[in-house]
Amino acid sequence: MSAVSWTVTGTPIGPLLLAATGRGLVNVVFHADERTARAAVDRLASRLGDEPVEASEDPLLAETVRQLRAYFAGTLREFTVELDWSLSAGFNRRVLRELATGVPYGTVVGYQDLADRVGEPGAARAVGTAMGSNPLPVVVPCHRVVESGGGIGGFGGGLETKRTLLALEGVLPQPLF
């Protein structure tokens, strides 16, 4: 198994833990305070079979931090870092790949529409489960998936974070406070 490196970076939505393998960015974790980061690193060690090493100077992590800063500054609309999909499989991976390539910045898609796009028209709830299992939030934009009836839907990073990301992309008005 390739070495796993990680770092935590501050963002307008709170600290994010970023982890990478030799294949690409493998994990993004919200609310990465010390306790959450430790738990995430332990989960990565268990799932990937390699003890993650803190390494903010890792070139892929440094590039991801650069792209996240540009995204939050409003100057980046598409992430271009390599992704390692090894933390998702099957239906979830198909849905997340479609989301990553087929739902651009500033747009949203309904759970049902995303199920239809991957050839599983009865799987809107399963799409919700796939969003909840997304190991690469923000970079793979699960915040762009909303309820077909106009509701915001759920979000692993919290609804305030989802609203902030959608407002950044111009989908929702900026919060007043």
Side-chain angles (χ1 to χ4, degrees):
M1 209 31 92
S2 57
V4 182
S5 56
W6 66 276
T7 192
V8 173
T9 188
T11 74
I13 58 170
L16 297 177
L17 179 134
L18 310 172
T21 67
R23 292 184 297 269
L25 185 68
V26 72
N27 203 200
V28 175
V29 178
F30 289 115
H31 314 298
D33 59 23
E34 191 173 323
R35 186 176 61 81
T36 301
R38 175 54 34 212
V41 168
D42 290 346
R43 265 192 320 276
L44 284 167
S46 172
R47 297 221 27 219
L48 298 175
D50 199 358
E51 186 62 37
V53 176
E54 189 169 7
S56 60
E57 71 284 351
D58 175 284
L60 178 63
L61 293 176
E63 177 59 18
T64 303
V65 168
R66 187 194 70 72
Q67 288 189 28
L68 282 166
R69 285 186 180 140
Y71 170 78
F72 285 110
T75 59
L76 180 88
R77 293 177 172 250
E78 182 178 347
F79 291 95
T80 58
V81 293
E82 288 295 319
L83 302 177
D84 177 342
W85 293 97
S86 62
L87 295 179
S88 82
F91 176 80
N92 289 359
R93 185 183 292 187
R94 286 186 11 238
V95 170
L96 292 170
R97 283 181 174 268
E98 173 59 30
L99 178 62
T101 60
V103 183
Y105 183 99
T107 66
V108 293
V109 64
Y111 294 95
Q112 183 61 57
D113 295 336
L114 202 47
D116 292 345
R117 288 186 190 194
V118 298
E120 302 284 347
R125 284 187 183 268
V127 166
T129 300
M131 294 306 102
S133 75
N134 181 5
L136 296 160
V138 182
V139 176
V140 175
C142 52
H143 59 277
R144 296 180 190 153
V145 183
V146 296
E147 294 175 354
S148 300
I152 194 167
F155 193 62
L159 293 182
E160 182 180 332
T161 299
K162 185 171 187 172
R163 285 186 190 97
T164 299
L165 294 169
L166 290 172
L168 172 73
E169 295 188 14
V171 175
L172 291 175
Q174 290 288 344
L176 296 176
F177 47 86

